[in-house]
Amino acid sequence: QVQVVESGGGLVQPGGSLRLSCAASGRIFKINVLGWYRQAPGKQRELVAAITSGETTNYADSVKGRFTISRDDAKNTVYLQMNSLKPEDTAVYYCNVQGLKLSMAPFNAWGQGTQVTVSS
């Protein structure tokens, strides 16, 4: 079993910053892809940012230049630095982790979500 836990969400004013963290644990052999998704009420879940081995990154157009994704392989942790936040960034943010278990079976695990609210 692989567990994924997000933290760092909260209430922030427009123009402010937040840093989200996501830690994966369990019988993990290797993490290949880490991603942040978000879902606002009445909206479909969308990819915000993803990072692979070798620091290859992918960002949604709406967050380019404002958000930065990074990873710490020693801690099986991924971060999302969110700057210049806008009200439209308000959503529940979910962490997605893909890789291989110790058995070499692939896994695709999701966290429980953390709420980000941007409002004055």
Side-chain angles (χ1 to χ4, degrees):
Q1 180 68 28
V2 176
Q3 294 83 40
V4 177
V5 179
E6 306 102 330
S7 63
L11 175 64
V12 64
Q13 293 186 347
S17 298
L18 286 173
R19 186 178 180 86
L20 306 183
S21 299
C22 168
S25 62
R27 297 187 176 275
I28 298 170
F29 175 76
K30 177 68 176 178
I31 293 175
N32 295 320
V33 184
L34 296 156
W36 287 97
Y37 292 73
R38 67 186 180 188
Q39 188 166 25
K43 303 288 187 178
Q44 292 187 334
R45 186 175 299 185
E46 64 174 346
L47 176 68
V48 177
I51 187 168
T52 65
S53 61
E55 305 298 322
T56 300
T57 58
N58 185 34
Y59 294 94
D61 288 341
S62 60
V63 308
K64 287 181 179 177
R66 299 189 297 121
F67 292 8
T68 303
I69 189 170
S70 61
R71 63 189 295 172
D72 184 340
D73 291 343
K75 297 182 178 181
N76 286 343
T77 299
V78 62
Y79 305 94
L80 185 67
Q81 179 66 47
M82 309 164 66
N83 298 325
S84 301
L85 282 162
K86 304 175 180 179
E88 52 262 45
D89 295 318
T90 297
V92 177
Y93 284 70
Y94 297 91
C95 180
N96 175 243
V97 184
Q98 301 176 45
L100 296 174
K101 298 179 181 179
L102 293 180
S103 65
M104 297 301 169
F107 70 87
N108 186 340
W110 291 86
Q112 81 289 345
T114 185
Q115 177 71 47
V116 172
T117 302
V118 184
S119 176
S120 59

